[in-house]
Amino acid sequence: MKKLLTLALMACTLTANAQEQKTTNNSDIPQWVKNIKLSGYGMVQYQADDKYKNTVNENGEPDVAKNSENAFNLRLLRLILDGKIGDVAWRAQVQGSSNPGPGNATAYLVDLYAEWQKYDFFRVKVGQFKRAFTFENPTHPITQGWYSYAMVVNNLSGFGDRTGEKSSGGRDIGLQVQGDFLKNASGRNLIHYQVGVYNGEGINTKDKDNRKDIIGGLWVMPVKGLRIGAFGWTGSRADVGEKNRYALSAEWDKDDWTFRTEYIHSQGYGADRSLVDKADGFYAFGIAPVISKKLYAKARYNLYRQAKEWGSSMSMYEVGVNYMFTKNLQLNVEYARVNDRTIIKSDKHNYNFFDAQLDFRF
C-alpha cells in the first residue's frame, strides 16, 4: 500500500505543479501537460452468507471449523492518470486492495498503455490493458452494477482465471487493433471490431511459453443502444496447455435501462490440469430505473459450470437496488439465493448471500 500512496502523491504533485504553472504562465505549459488528468475511485464492501451452515466433517458431524462469512472488506482503490499527446492517448492506473488475489501484491500496476486514435476505424493500442473478450470485461467496476462481474467472466475472461493465472482484472500485455465503421444516415457507426495479440499470462508478467494468445471480437449495432457480438480466443499457458474459448453477447443500454446477456465456452484444462478440459457459463441481467438517475432495481441470473456439467455448477439468483446519492457516490445492495453443486460433504447445496458496497469517485 505504501507504493500506492507514493504514486498518488507523485500524481498529485504533478497535476498541482501543472495547475500552478498554468496560473502563472499558461503559454509556457506544453499541451500534453495540460491534458493530464488525475482521477480514481474506491469500493468498500460488506458481505455475509451461510454457505457452510450444513457442511459436515469426515465423521459426519457439523463442521465447526468452517464459518459462514460475515465481514467488511476494502474491495479496491484505484488511482488513474490519463493524458494525450497529439493523436496518442495514454493511461497509467494503479490499484490497492485488501483482497488482491493469489500472487499479487497489495499495490500494483493495473493499466499502462498508449493508443493511437487518429482514425475511428483503425486505432492501435499497446501495453497492458483489458483483453478484447466479452462485453462485460471492459465495463467499469462501479457502473457494472453488481457485487462482482459474472462468475463466468471471472473464470473465463482473465480475472481469477481457471487456468491458474493470477487475478488480472481481465487484462494482459500485448497489442490490439480496433475500430468502428459503416456509418448510417445519422452518422452512427454500425460495426465494431477488435483483434489483439497478448502474452497470455495476465498482468505484469512476461510470456512463459513464448506462444501468444490471439483474441478477437466483432459486433453490430443495428439500432441505437443495441449491441450483438461474438468473440473468439485461442492461446496457451505454460504447464496447462492450449485454451480455446468463444463468447456470444447481446446488450441493450438506452434511456437509463440496461439489459445484457453472455454465454462463454472454454476448452482447455484448468490449473495444473486439475480441472477437466471444458467449462462454460451464462448470465443475464436487467437494471431498471425506479427514479431516473437516482434509484435502480436489478435482477441477475448468474451460472458457471467448471466442468461443463450440472454436477459442477454454481447458480446465483440475484436481486437488489442501486442508489445514487450523487453522481460520485453510490450504494449497491443485493441478495442472492445460491445453488452450489461444488460443495462436498453435504446434501444441502443452497445458501443465502448478501452484499452491500459503498462506491465513490473523485
Side-chain angles (χ1 to χ4, degrees), residues 245-290:
R245 297 173 179 174
Y246 68 83
L248 303 174
S249 311
E251 179 186 75
W252 173 262
D253 187 359
K254 189 174 183 290
D255 297 331
D256 227 15
W257 294 73
T258 304
F259 299 92
R260 184 162 66 244
T261 181
E262 296 189 279
Y263 172 79
I264 307 176
H265 180 275
S266 175
Q267 179 272 321
Y269 288 96
D272 301 322
R273 297 184 177 269
S274 60
L275 298 174
V276 298
D277 70 341
K278 286 184 174 62
D280 71 349
F282 166 84
Y283 74 88
F285 75 72
I287 301 178
V290 179

mmCIF file of all heavy atoms in Angstrom, residues 245-290:
data_model
loop_
_atom_site.group_PDB
_atom_site.id
_atom_site.type_symbol
_atom_site.label_atom_id
_atom_site.label_comp_id
_atom_site.label_asym_id
_atom_site.label_seq_id
_atom_site.Cartn_x
_atom_site.Cartn_y
_atom_site.Cartn_z
ATOM 1 N N ARG A 245 -11.573 -20.508 -26.543
ATOM 2 C CA ARG A 245 -12.811 -20.004 -25.960
ATOM 3 C C ARG A 245 -13.595 -19.191 -26.991
ATOM 4 O O ARG A 245 -13.015 -18.619 -27.914
ATOM 5 C CB ARG A 245 -12.503 -19.118 -24.733
ATOM 6 C CG ARG A 245 -11.826 -19.867 -23.615
ATOM 7 C CD ARG A 245 -11.367 -18.952 -22.494
ATOM 8 N NE ARG A 245 -10.736 -19.729 -21.427
ATOM 9 C CZ ARG A 245 -10.132 -19.219 -20.359
ATOM 10 N NH1 ARG A 245 -10.080 -17.906 -20.200
ATOM 11 N NH2 ARG A 245 -9.592 -20.005 -19.447
ATOM 12 N N TYR A 246 -14.905 -19.147 -26.767
ATOM 13 C CA TYR A 246 -15.729 -18.233 -27.548
ATOM 14 C C TYR A 246 -16.825 -17.680 -26.657
ATOM 15 O O TYR A 246 -17.184 -18.272 -25.624
ATOM 16 C CB TYR A 246 -16.312 -18.908 -28.793
ATOM 17 C CG TYR A 246 -17.340 -19.990 -28.533
ATOM 18 C CD1 TYR A 246 -18.682 -19.664 -28.305
ATOM 19 C CD2 TYR A 246 -16.980 -21.332 -28.528
ATOM 20 C CE1 TYR A 246 -19.634 -20.648 -28.089
ATOM 21 C CE2 TYR A 246 -17.912 -22.325 -28.306
ATOM 22 C CZ TYR A 246 -19.241 -21.981 -28.092
ATOM 23 O OH TYR A 246 -20.177 -22.969 -27.863
ATOM 24 N N ALA A 247 -17.357 -16.529 -27.041
ATOM 25 C CA ALA A 247 -18.434 -15.886 -26.292
ATOM 26 C C ALA A 247 -19.450 -15.318 -27.270
ATOM 27 O O ALA A 247 -19.092 -14.811 -28.336
ATOM 28 C CB ALA A 247 -17.879 -14.771 -25.403
ATOM 29 N N LEU A 248 -20.725 -15.415 -26.881
ATOM 30 C CA LEU A 248 -21.831 -14.830 -27.630
ATOM 31 C C LEU A 248 -22.502 -13.812 -26.722
ATOM 32 O O LEU A 248 -22.842 -14.133 -25.571
ATOM 33 C CB LEU A 248 -22.823 -15.909 -28.067
ATOM 34 C CG LEU A 248 -22.238 -17.051 -28.906
ATOM 35 C CD1 LEU A 248 -23.291 -18.122 -29.150
ATOM 36 C CD2 LEU A 248 -21.686 -16.522 -30.229
ATOM 37 N N SER A 249 -22.719 -12.594 -27.226
ATOM 38 C CA SER A 249 -23.108 -11.488 -26.360
ATOM 39 C C SER A 249 -24.210 -10.646 -26.975
ATOM 40 O O SER A 249 -24.279 -10.481 -28.199
ATOM 41 C CB SER A 249 -21.903 -10.581 -26.089
ATOM 42 O OG SER A 249 -20.765 -11.332 -25.682
ATOM 43 N N ALA A 250 -25.058 -10.091 -26.104
ATOM 44 C CA ALA A 250 -26.087 -9.151 -26.535
ATOM 45 C C ALA A 250 -26.329 -8.152 -25.411
ATOM 46 O O ALA A 250 -26.305 -8.522 -24.225
ATOM 47 C CB ALA A 250 -27.373 -9.866 -26.905
ATOM 48 N N GLU A 251 -26.568 -6.886 -25.787
ATOM 49 C CA GLU A 251 -26.786 -5.848 -24.779
ATOM 50 C C GLU A 251 -27.724 -4.777 -25.320
ATOM 51 O O GLU A 251 -27.647 -4.395 -26.492
ATOM 52 C CB GLU A 251 -25.455 -5.208 -24.386
ATOM 53 C CG GLU A 251 -25.580 -4.083 -23.360
ATOM 54 C CD GLU A 251 -24.261 -3.382 -23.103
ATOM 55 O OE1 GLU A 251 -23.834 -2.597 -23.976
ATOM 56 O OE2 GLU A 251 -23.666 -3.636 -22.050
ATOM 57 N N TRP A 252 -28.613 -4.304 -24.426
ATOM 58 C CA TRP A 252 -29.439 -3.135 -24.691
ATOM 59 C C TRP A 252 -29.179 -2.136 -23.575
ATOM 60 O O TRP A 252 -29.401 -2.419 -22.410
ATOM 61 C CB TRP A 252 -30.912 -3.522 -24.734
ATOM 62 C CG TRP A 252 -31.841 -2.336 -24.828
ATOM 63 C CD1 TRP A 252 -32.512 -1.722 -23.811
ATOM 64 C CD2 TRP A 252 -32.194 -1.622 -26.007
ATOM 65 N NE1 TRP A 252 -33.258 -0.670 -24.278
ATOM 66 C CE2 TRP A 252 -33.083 -0.579 -25.630
ATOM 67 C CE3 TRP A 252 -31.838 -1.743 -27.355
ATOM 68 C CZ2 TRP A 252 -33.621 0.316 -26.549
ATOM 69 C CZ3 TRP A 252 -32.375 -0.853 -28.264
ATOM 70 C CH2 TRP A 252 -33.269 0.161 -27.868
ATOM 71 N N ASP A 253 -28.683 -0.954 -23.934
ATOM 72 C CA ASP A 253 -28.341 0.070 -22.945
ATOM 73 C C ASP A 253 -28.801 1.426 -23.485
ATOM 74 O O ASP A 253 -28.119 2.061 -24.278
ATOM 75 C CB ASP A 253 -26.833 0.064 -22.691
ATOM 76 C CG ASP A 253 -26.424 0.981 -21.542
ATOM 77 O OD1 ASP A 253 -27.310 1.636 -20.960
ATOM 78 O OD2 ASP A 253 -25.219 1.052 -21.239
ATOM 79 N N LYS A 254 -29.968 1.854 -23.024
ATOM 80 C CA LYS A 254 -30.550 3.082 -23.573
ATOM 81 C C LYS A 254 -31.605 3.620 -22.614
ATOM 82 O O LYS A 254 -32.319 2.842 -21.961
ATOM 83 C CB LYS A 254 -31.169 2.814 -24.950
ATOM 84 C CG LYS A 254 -31.611 4.057 -25.709
ATOM 85 C CD LYS A 254 -32.062 3.666 -27.120
ATOM 86 C CE LYS A 254 -32.446 4.901 -27.933
ATOM 87 N NZ LYS A 254 -33.710 5.500 -27.425
ATOM 88 N N ASP A 255 -31.684 4.946 -22.529
ATOM 89 C CA ASP A 255 -32.713 5.620 -21.742
ATOM 90 C C ASP A 255 -32.740 5.129 -20.292
ATOM 91 O O ASP A 255 -33.809 4.921 -19.709
ATOM 92 C CB ASP A 255 -34.095 5.436 -22.376
ATOM 93 C CG ASP A 255 -34.189 6.053 -23.761
ATOM 94 O OD1 ASP A 255 -33.460 7.040 -24.012
ATOM 95 O OD2 ASP A 255 -34.958 5.544 -24.589
ATOM 96 N N ASP A 256 -31.542 4.909 -19.725
ATOM 97 C CA ASP A 256 -31.405 4.541 -18.317
ATOM 98 C C ASP A 256 -31.766 3.088 -18.020
ATOM 99 O O ASP A 256 -31.837 2.683 -16.859
ATOM 100 C CB ASP A 256 -32.249 5.472 -17.437
ATOM 101 C CG ASP A 256 -31.474 5.977 -16.233
ATOM 102 O OD1 ASP A 256 -30.236 5.852 -16.234
ATOM 103 O OD2 ASP A 256 -32.094 6.500 -15.293
ATOM 104 N N TRP A 257 -32.023 2.278 -19.052
ATOM 105 C CA TRP A 257 -32.306 0.851 -18.899
ATOM 106 C C TRP A 257 -31.112 0.071 -19.441
ATOM 107 O O TRP A 257 -30.553 0.414 -20.482
ATOM 108 C CB TRP A 257 -33.549 0.444 -19.679
ATOM 109 C CG TRP A 257 -34.827 1.036 -19.174
ATOM 110 C CD1 TRP A 257 -35.221 2.338 -19.303
ATOM 111 C CD2 TRP A 257 -35.865 0.357 -18.481
ATOM 112 N NE1 TRP A 257 -36.461 2.514 -18.720
ATOM 113 C CE2 TRP A 257 -36.883 1.321 -18.214
ATOM 114 C CE3 TRP A 257 -36.052 -0.956 -18.058
ATOM 115 C CZ2 TRP A 257 -38.058 0.994 -17.542
ATOM 116 C CZ3 TRP A 257 -37.230 -1.284 -17.398
ATOM 117 C CH2 TRP A 257 -38.209 -0.321 -17.140
ATOM 118 N N THR A 258 -30.727 -0.991 -18.743
ATOM 119 C CA THR A 258 -29.618 -1.837 -19.188
ATOM 120 C C THR A 258 -29.997 -3.307 -19.072
ATOM 121 O O THR A 258 -30.414 -3.768 -17.997
ATOM 122 C CB THR A 258 -28.341 -1.593 -18.364
ATOM 123 O OG1 THR A 258 -27.989 -0.212 -18.411
ATOM 124 C CG2 THR A 258 -27.179 -2.423 -18.913
ATOM 125 N N PHE A 259 -29.852 -4.039 -20.180
ATOM 126 C CA PHE A 259 -30.016 -5.489 -20.196
ATOM 127 C C PHE A 259 -28.800 -6.079 -20.907
ATOM 128 O O PHE A 259 -28.389 -5.572 -21.958
ATOM 129 C CB PHE A 259 -31.287 -5.898 -20.938
ATOM 130 C CG PHE A 259 -32.560 -5.365 -20.338
ATOM 131 C CD1 PHE A 259 -33.087 -4.161 -20.767
ATOM 132 C CD2 PHE A 259 -33.205 -6.070 -19.334
ATOM 133 C CE1 PHE A 259 -34.255 -3.660 -20.211
ATOM 134 C CE2 PHE A 259 -34.371 -5.584 -18.771
ATOM 135 C CZ PHE A 259 -34.900 -4.378 -19.205
ATOM 136 N N ARG A 260 -28.223 -7.112 -20.348
ATOM 137 C CA ARG A 260 -27.084 -7.752 -21.002
ATOM 138 C C ARG A 260 -27.094 -9.248 -20.707
ATOM 139 O O ARG A 260 -27.424 -9.671 -19.596
ATOM 140 C CB ARG A 260 -25.758 -7.142 -20.536
ATOM 141 C CG ARG A 260 -24.559 -7.726 -21.288
ATOM 142 C CD ARG A 260 -23.304 -6.871 -21.181
ATOM 143 N NE ARG A 260 -22.769 -6.802 -19.842
ATOM 144 C CZ ARG A 260 -22.701 -5.687 -19.126
ATOM 145 N NH1 ARG A 260 -23.160 -4.545 -19.614
ATOM 146 N NH2 ARG A 260 -22.187 -5.700 -17.908
ATOM 147 N N THR A 261 -26.680 -10.030 -21.692
ATOM 148 C CA THR A 261 -26.548 -11.472 -21.514
ATOM 149 C C THR A 261 -25.359 -11.962 -22.331
ATOM 150 O O THR A 261 -25.088 -11.459 -23.432
ATOM 151 C CB THR A 261 -27.834 -12.212 -21.939
ATOM 152 O OG1 THR A 261 -27.677 -13.621 -21.724
ATOM 153 C CG2 THR A 261 -28.142 -11.976 -23.414
ATOM 154 N N GLU A 262 -24.625 -12.935 -21.777
ATOM 155 C CA GLU A 262 -23.479 -13.521 -22.477
ATOM 156 C C GLU A 262 -23.331 -14.992 -22.110
ATOM 157 O O GLU A 262 -23.550 -15.388 -20.956
ATOM 158 C CB GLU A 262 -22.186 -12.778 -22.125
ATOM 159 C CG GLU A 262 -22.174 -11.320 -22.574
ATOM 160 C CD GLU A 262 -20.823 -10.653 -22.429
ATOM 161 O OE1 GLU A 262 -20.493 -10.226 -21.306
ATOM 162 O OE2 GLU A 262 -20.101 -10.563 -23.438
ATOM 163 N N TYR A 263 -22.954 -15.776 -23.103
ATOM 164 C CA TYR A 263 -22.587 -17.182 -22.902
ATOM 165 C C TYR A 263 -21.126 -17.347 -23.293
ATOM 166 O O TYR A 263 -20.698 -16.857 -24.346
ATOM 167 C CB TYR A 263 -23.451 -18.107 -23.751
ATOM 168 C CG TYR A 263 -22.973 -19.552 -23.727
ATOM 169 C CD1 TYR A 263 -23.265 -20.386 -22.644
ATOM 170 C CD2 TYR A 263 -22.190 -20.070 -24.759
ATOM 171 C CE1 TYR A 263 -22.823 -21.704 -22.617
ATOM 172 C CE2 TYR A 263 -21.739 -21.376 -24.740
ATOM 173 C CZ TYR A 263 -22.051 -22.190 -23.654
ATOM 174 O OH TYR A 263 -21.598 -23.498 -23.608
ATOM 175 N N ILE A 264 -20.343 -18.031 -22.435
ATOM 176 C CA ILE A 264 -18.929 -18.264 -22.716
ATOM 177 C C ILE A 264 -18.641 -19.757 -22.605
ATOM 178 O O ILE A 264 -19.073 -20.416 -21.639
ATOM 179 C CB ILE A 264 -18.007 -17.504 -21.747
ATOM 180 C CG1 ILE A 264 -18.357 -16.016 -21.720
ATOM 181 C CG2 ILE A 264 -16.547 -17.695 -22.147
ATOM 182 C CD1 ILE A 264 -17.552 -15.216 -20.718
ATOM 183 N N HIS A 265 -17.913 -20.275 -23.570
ATOM 184 C CA HIS A 265 -17.496 -21.688 -23.573
ATOM 185 C C HIS A 265 -15.981 -21.755 -23.617
ATOM 186 O O HIS A 265 -15.327 -20.988 -24.343
ATOM 187 C CB HIS A 265 -18.079 -22.411 -24.793
ATOM 188 C CG HIS A 265 -17.698 -23.858 -24.876
ATOM 189 N ND1 HIS A 265 -16.513 -24.283 -25.439
ATOM 190 C CD2 HIS A 265 -18.340 -24.973 -24.453
ATOM 191 C CE1 HIS A 265 -16.450 -25.608 -25.373
ATOM 192 N NE2 HIS A 265 -17.544 -26.046 -24.781
ATOM 193 N N SER A 266 -15.403 -22.665 -22.843
ATOM 194 C CA SER A 266 -13.947 -22.818 -22.798
ATOM 195 C C SER A 266 -13.556 -24.274 -22.983
ATOM 196 O O SER A 266 -14.148 -25.183 -22.378
ATOM 197 C CB SER A 266 -13.412 -22.320 -21.452
ATOM 198 O OG SER A 266 -12.018 -22.570 -21.336
ATOM 199 N N GLN A 267 -12.557 -24.483 -23.812
ATOM 200 C CA GLN A 267 -11.938 -25.799 -23.970
ATOM 201 C C GLN A 267 -10.473 -25.654 -23.590
ATOM 202 O O GLN A 267 -9.753 -24.808 -24.124
ATOM 203 C CB GLN A 267 -12.075 -26.301 -25.414
ATOM 204 C CG GLN A 267 -11.431 -27.660 -25.683
ATOM 205 C CD GLN A 267 -9.961 -27.559 -26.067
ATOM 206 O OE1 GLN A 267 -9.561 -26.653 -26.809
ATOM 207 N NE2 GLN A 267 -9.156 -28.462 -25.563
ATOM 208 N N GLY A 268 -10.014 -26.452 -22.633
ATOM 209 C CA GLY A 268 -8.655 -26.366 -22.140
ATOM 210 C C GLY A 268 -8.627 -26.653 -20.652
ATOM 211 O O GLY A 268 -9.564 -26.311 -19.930
ATOM 212 N N TYR A 269 -7.584 -27.308 -20.196
ATOM 213 C CA TYR A 269 -7.511 -27.724 -18.802
ATOM 214 C C TYR A 269 -7.369 -26.546 -17.848
ATOM 215 O O TYR A 269 -6.900 -25.472 -18.220
ATOM 216 C CB TYR A 269 -6.341 -28.692 -18.599
ATOM 217 C CG TYR A 269 -6.581 -30.055 -19.207
ATOM 218 C CD1 TYR A 269 -6.098 -30.361 -20.476
ATOM 219 C CD2 TYR A 269 -7.316 -31.016 -18.519
ATOM 220 C CE1 TYR A 269 -6.329 -31.605 -21.049
ATOM 221 C CE2 TYR A 269 -7.552 -32.263 -19.074
ATOM 222 C CZ TYR A 269 -7.060 -32.549 -20.346
ATOM 223 O OH TYR A 269 -7.301 -33.772 -20.904
ATOM 224 N N GLY A 270 -7.763 -26.797 -16.597
ATOM 225 C CA GLY A 270 -7.593 -25.807 -15.556
ATOM 226 C C GLY A 270 -6.196 -25.858 -14.974
ATOM 227 O O GLY A 270 -5.300 -26.541 -15.498
ATOM 228 N N ALA A 271 -6.004 -25.145 -13.879
ATOM 229 C CA ALA A 271 -4.685 -25.047 -13.253
ATOM 230 C C ALA A 271 -4.107 -26.418 -12.957
ATOM 231 O O ALA A 271 -4.756 -27.260 -12.330
ATOM 232 C CB ALA A 271 -4.791 -24.237 -11.965
ATOM 233 N N ASP A 272 -2.876 -26.633 -13.425
ATOM 234 C CA ASP A 272 -2.175 -27.913 -13.207
ATOM 235 C C ASP A 272 -3.014 -29.108 -13.632
ATOM 236 O O ASP A 272 -2.922 -30.202 -13.069
ATOM 237 C CB ASP A 272 -1.792 -28.060 -11.726
ATOM 238 C CG ASP A 272 -0.898 -26.946 -11.255
ATOM 239 O OD1 ASP A 272 -0.031 -26.516 -12.045
ATOM 240 O OD2 ASP A 272 -1.075 -26.475 -10.115
ATOM 241 N N ARG A 273 -3.871 -28.881 -14.635
ATOM 242 C CA ARG A 273 -4.734 -29.932 -15.178
ATOM 243 C C ARG A 273 -5.651 -30.561 -14.117
ATOM 244 O O ARG A 273 -6.079 -31.707 -14.233
ATOM 245 C CB ARG A 273 -3.903 -31.022 -15.864
ATOM 246 C CG ARG A 273 -3.121 -30.501 -17.063
ATOM 247 C CD ARG A 273 -2.378 -31.599 -17.785
ATOM 248 N NE ARG A 273 -1.710 -31.083 -18.968
ATOM 249 C CZ ARG A 273 -2.240 -31.048 -20.183
ATOM 250 N NH1 ARG A 273 -3.458 -31.503 -20.360
ATOM 251 N NH2 ARG A 273 -1.562 -30.564 -21.202
ATOM 252 N N SER A 274 -5.932 -29.803 -13.070
ATOM 253 C CA SER A 274 -6.802 -30.319 -12.010
ATOM 254 C C SER A 274 -8.272 -30.253 -12.389
ATOM 255 O O SER A 274 -9.107 -30.896 -11.755
ATOM 256 C CB SER A 274 -6.567 -29.522 -10.720
ATOM 257 O OG SER A 274 -6.848 -28.152 -10.926
ATOM 258 N N LEU A 275 -8.614 -29.472 -13.412
ATOM 259 C CA LEU A 275 -9.984 -29.384 -13.895
ATOM 260 C C LEU A 275 -10.065 -29.986 -15.287
ATOM 261 O O LEU A 275 -9.114 -29.920 -16.063
ATOM 262 C CB LEU A 275 -10.448 -27.931 -13.928
ATOM 263 C CG LEU A 275 -10.482 -27.197 -12.579
ATOM 264 C CD1 LEU A 275 -10.828 -25.731 -12.795
ATOM 265 C CD2 LEU A 275 -11.471 -27.843 -11.633
ATOM 266 N N VAL A 276 -11.191 -30.587 -15.623
ATOM 267 C CA VAL A 276 -11.367 -31.189 -16.943
ATOM 268 C C VAL A 276 -11.289 -30.119 -18.014
ATOM 269 O O VAL A 276 -11.283 -28.914 -17.733
ATOM 270 C CB VAL A 276 -12.716 -31.937 -17.020
ATOM 271 C CG1 VAL A 276 -12.752 -33.076 -16.014
ATOM 272 C CG2 VAL A 276 -13.881 -30.989 -16.791
ATOM 273 N N ASP A 277 -11.264 -30.545 -19.267
ATOM 274 C CA ASP A 277 -10.899 -29.617 -20.330
ATOM 275 C C ASP A 277 -12.060 -28.806 -20.906
ATOM 276 O O ASP A 277 -11.892 -28.164 -21.937
ATOM 277 C CB ASP A 277 -10.174 -30.358 -21.446
ATOM 278 C CG ASP A 277 -11.103 -31.286 -22.234
ATOM 279 O OD1 ASP A 277 -12.179 -31.620 -21.711
ATOM 280 O OD2 ASP A 277 -10.730 -31.649 -23.364
ATOM 281 N N LYS A 278 -13.229 -28.816 -20.271
ATOM 282 C CA LYS A 278 -14.329 -27.987 -20.755
ATOM 283 C C LYS A 278 -15.032 -27.298 -19.592
ATOM 284 O O LYS A 278 -15.199 -27.865 -18.519
ATOM 285 C CB LYS A 278 -15.335 -28.815 -21.549
ATOM 286 C CG LYS A 278 -14.841 -29.219 -22.948
ATOM 287 C CD LYS A 278 -15.927 -29.943 -23.718
ATOM 288 C CE LYS A 278 -15.503 -30.210 -25.150
ATOM 289 N NZ LYS A 278 -14.336 -31.077 -25.239
ATOM 290 N N ALA A 279 -15.420 -26.056 -19.838
ATOM 291 C CA ALA A 279 -16.180 -25.290 -18.855
ATOM 292 C C ALA A 279 -17.049 -24.302 -19.615
ATOM 293 O O ALA A 279 -16.754 -23.943 -20.768
ATOM 294 C CB ALA A 279 -15.242 -24.542 -17.902
ATOM 295 N N ASP A 280 -18.128 -23.858 -18.987
ATOM 296 C CA ASP A 280 -18.959 -22.849 -19.626
ATOM 297 C C ASP A 280 -19.781 -22.116 -18.580
ATOM 298 O O ASP A 280 -19.762 -22.446 -17.382
ATOM 299 C CB ASP A 280 -19.847 -23.458 -20.717
ATOM 300 C CG ASP A 280 -20.973 -24.328 -20.165
ATOM 301 O OD1 ASP A 280 -20.963 -24.645 -18.955
ATOM 302 O OD2 ASP A 280 -21.875 -24.684 -20.946
ATOM 303 N N GLY A 281 -20.501 -21.122 -19.035
ATOM 304 C CA GLY A 281 -21.347 -20.361 -18.136
ATOM 305 C C GLY A 281 -22.179 -19.340 -18.891
ATOM 306 O O GLY A 281 -21.966 -19.088 -20.089
ATOM 307 N N PHE A 282 -23.094 -18.744 -18.160
ATOM 308 C CA PHE A 282 -24.077 -17.862 -18.766
ATOM 309 C C PHE A 282 -24.578 -16.892 -17.711
ATOM 310 O O PHE A 282 -24.666 -17.226 -16.532
ATOM 311 C CB PHE A 282 -25.231 -18.716 -19.309
ATOM 312 C CG PHE A 282 -26.473 -17.950 -19.670
ATOM 313 C CD1 PHE A 282 -26.584 -17.336 -20.900
ATOM 314 C CD2 PHE A 282 -27.537 -17.869 -18.784
ATOM 315 C CE1 PHE A 282 -27.742 -16.640 -21.244
ATOM 316 C CE2 PHE A 282 -28.693 -17.175 -19.114
ATOM 317 C CZ PHE A 282 -28.788 -16.569 -20.352
ATOM 318 N N TYR A 283 -24.882 -15.679 -18.128
ATOM 319 C CA TYR A 283 -25.549 -14.754 -17.220
ATOM 320 C C TYR A 283 -26.510 -13.879 -18.023
ATOM 321 O O TYR A 283 -26.365 -13.692 -19.240
ATOM 322 C CB TYR A 283 -24.546 -13.875 -16.457
ATOM 323 C CG TYR A 283 -23.916 -12.783 -17.285
ATOM 324 C CD1 TYR A 283 -24.516 -11.523 -17.402
ATOM 325 C CD2 TYR A 283 -22.721 -12.991 -17.958
ATOM 326 C CE1 TYR A 283 -23.946 -10.525 -18.168
ATOM 327 C CE2 TYR A 283 -22.145 -11.992 -18.722
ATOM 328 C CZ TYR A 283 -22.765 -10.770 -18.829
ATOM 329 O OH TYR A 283 -22.206 -9.779 -19.604
ATOM 330 N N ALA A 284 -27.506 -13.370 -17.335
ATOM 331 C CA ALA A 284 -28.451 -12.428 -17.926
ATOM 332 C C ALA A 284 -28.933 -11.510 -16.817
ATOM 333 O O ALA A 284 -29.259 -11.973 -15.721
ATOM 334 C CB ALA A 284 -29.632 -13.152 -18.569
ATOM 335 N N PHE A 285 -28.946 -10.201 -17.081
ATOM 336 C CA PHE A 285 -29.413 -9.279 -16.050
ATOM 337 C C PHE A 285 -30.160 -8.106 -16.658
ATOM 338 O O PHE A 285 -30.043 -7.801 -17.847
ATOM 339 C CB PHE A 285 -28.261 -8.795 -15.166
ATOM 340 C CG PHE A 285 -27.340 -7.768 -15.769
ATOM 341 C CD1 PHE A 285 -27.766 -6.451 -15.972
ATOM 342 C CD2 PHE A 285 -26.037 -8.087 -16.105
ATOM 343 C CE1 PHE A 285 -26.914 -5.501 -16.511
ATOM 344 C CE2 PHE A 285 -25.175 -7.138 -16.635
ATOM 345 C CZ PHE A 285 -25.617 -5.836 -16.847
ATOM 346 N N GLY A 286 -30.928 -7.465 -15.786
ATOM 347 C CA GLY A 286 -31.596 -6.225 -16.136
ATOM 348 C C GLY A 286 -31.463 -5.229 -14.995
ATOM 349 O O GLY A 286 -31.570 -5.604 -13.827
ATOM 350 N N ILE A 287 -31.174 -3.983 -15.327
ATOM 351 C CA ILE A 287 -31.135 -2.895 -14.351
ATOM 352 C C ILE A 287 -32.097 -1.822 -14.855
ATOM 353 O O ILE A 287 -31.924 -1.312 -15.974
ATOM 354 C CB ILE A 287 -29.720 -2.319 -14.179
ATOM 355 C CG1 ILE A 287 -28.746 -3.407 -13.709
ATOM 356 C CG2 ILE A 287 -29.731 -1.156 -13.188
ATOM 357 C CD1 ILE A 287 -27.309 -2.934 -13.557
ATOM 358 N N ALA A 288 -33.123 -1.506 -14.046
ATOM 359 C CA ALA A 288 -34.190 -0.611 -14.488
ATOM 360 C C ALA A 288 -34.337 0.565 -13.532
ATOM 361 O O ALA A 288 -34.216 0.398 -12.308
ATOM 362 C CB ALA A 288 -35.506 -1.378 -14.576
ATOM 363 N N PRO A 289 -34.602 1.760 -14.055
ATOM 364 C CA PRO A 289 -34.768 2.933 -13.192
ATOM 365 C C PRO A 289 -36.109 2.906 -12.453
ATOM 366 O O PRO A 289 -37.157 2.691 -13.067
ATOM 367 C CB PRO A 289 -34.695 4.104 -14.172
ATOM 368 C CG PRO A 289 -35.181 3.535 -15.475
ATOM 369 C CD PRO A 289 -34.726 2.108 -15.490
ATOM 370 N N VAL A 290 -36.062 3.095 -11.146
ATOM 371 C CA VAL A 290 -37.261 3.353 -10.361
ATOM 372 C C VAL A 290 -37.468 4.861 -10.265
ATOM 373 O O VAL A 290 -38.568 5.378 -10.474
ATOM 374 C CB VAL A 290 -37.140 2.730 -8.952
ATOM 375 C CG1 VAL A 290 -38.374 3.021 -8.110
ATOM 376 C CG2 VAL A 290 -36.913 1.219 -9.051
#
